[in-house]
Amino acid sequence: MITEMLWFAAQSRAVSEQASEDIRGGNIAYLMNKPYHYALYILARYTGEWSIRLPVYLVLAVMMGVAMVGGLPGFGLPALAASAVSFLLGITVNGVLKLCISLTSFWVEDAQPFQWLYNKLLLIVGTVFPIEIFPEATRPFLKLTPIYPVCYGPARLAVDFHAESCLEIFGTQILYLAFGCALLFFIYGKGVKKLYVNGG
């Protein structure tokens, strides 16, 4: 329920479709000359969307979880605080990665097939099936994918809080966020340069 809550709350047209449409339609040439960074503008829209969705899905997930399986043993204030931070980091990492995929529209005709693959990876592996269900040899590899910092890690932290797992999940999320932001600004810079070279 927690992974599905995160997956549904993080669904946003801003990072998955709007950037691609702006690039394909030429609106990017107008928007990138505004007194704000275009990529940060899209991420701000994304934040506005999930900040409304997340509380709604959170209440539904808690109500259904308590009704179906009861409360979480040992879930106290430290677990609540760590889970909240982890949820926010996971959703932000997801938005940055999805925007990176959208910005590939500078070079490809349509980035939606890549968005579809990324969404299905998160939905099937990170949401429907826990990492423990896969062979033990594949688990370290799965922890290197976006599944771990976006869905599985935050959910695992909420249901089985330990200081060691908290540090591991936070570290993974921060590394992914740093890498994702660096990649985002790199792709955007290359794309804008391509527009300038081609005359807009």
Side-chain angles (χ1 to χ4, degrees), residues 80-97:
L80 177 64
S83 298
V85 173
S86 183
F87 290 169
L88 299 181
L89 283 172
I91 290 176
T92 304
V93 168
N94 181 64
V96 169
L97 295 179

Side-chain angles (χ1 to χ4, degrees), residues 44-86:
R45 287 188 56 186
Y46 168 70
T47 302
E49 291 181 18
W50 68 251
S51 64
I52 299 298
R53 286 196 184 106
L54 183 62
V56 175
Y57 287 116
L58 178 61
V59 170
L60 292 174
V62 169
M63 289 172 58
M64 291 180 66
V66 170
M68 295 175 70
V69 297
L72 295 173
F75 188 82
L77 191 59
L80 177 64
S83 298
V85 173
S86 183

